[in-house]
Amino acid sequence: QVRLVESGGGSVQAGGSLRLSCAASIYGYSSYCVAWFRQAPGKEREGVATINRDGSTTYADSVKGRFTISRVNAEKTLFLQMNTMKPEDTAMYYCAAALNLCWLRPDGYNYWGQGTQVTVSL
């Protein structure tokens, strides 16, 4: 059974840092594009960052220079290091995996986690 389980969310003050993790149980994990998305109340789900099977990355403009996505294939784990956080980063964060695409749009991803809440206060 495929599972993606996020952890590491919590509350932090503006300017602070958090590191999210996503543990996957996917056969052939290294062949997947994996990504982070987020969704704030009343807003659509948006892409934060992707990392493809070759290690190439993409970031939303809103997080460039502040967030870093990484993966450890041997451990089937995805990370998101979030620095210099802002109140507008407050959202539920989800990891997702896709075999045949790698973009910042949520459509087309094969598997999703349940999410971890991130709250940034002033």
Side-chain angles (χ1 to χ4, degrees), residues 1-82:
Q1 182 178 0
V2 173
R3 291 187 67 196
L4 297 175
V5 180
E6 302 93 339
S7 61
S11 297
V12 64
Q13 287 191 322
S17 299
L18 281 176
R19 188 189 194 210
L20 304 184
S21 300
C22 173
S25 59
I26 299 177
Y27 179 77
Y29 177 80
S30 61
S31 297
Y32 282 75
C33 166
V34 281
W36 289 99
F37 291 83
R38 65 186 182 187
Q39 188 167 18
K43 295 189 176 181
E44 294 186 350
R45 191 167 296 190
E46 64 173 357
V48 175
T50 70
I51 183 165
N52 212 339
R53 54 188 177 184
D54 63 357
S56 58
T57 59
T58 60
Y59 293 93
D61 288 343
S62 59
V63 306
K64 281 181 182 176
R66 300 189 298 121
F67 291 9
T68 302
I69 189 171
S70 60
R71 65 191 294 172
V72 179
N73 288 333
E75 298 178 357
K76 298 185 178 181
T77 305
L78 175 70
F79 300 99
L80 184 69
Q81 178 66 43
M82 304 186 290

Side-chain angles (χ1 to χ4, degrees), residues 77-121:
T77 305
L78 175 70
F79 300 99
L80 184 69
Q81 178 66 43
M82 304 186 290
N83 298 329
T84 320
M85 297 185 72
K86 304 176 181 179
E88 50 263 45
D89 295 322
T90 295
M92 185 72 78
Y93 282 70
Y94 301 88
C95 60
L99 196 54
N100 297 312
L101 54 86
C102 200
W103 55 41
L104 288 170
R105 302 187 333 241
D107 51 301
Y109 278 80
N110 303 96
Y111 306 112
W112 290 86
Q114 294 299 306
T116 186
Q117 178 67 39
V118 171
T119 303
V120 185
S121 59

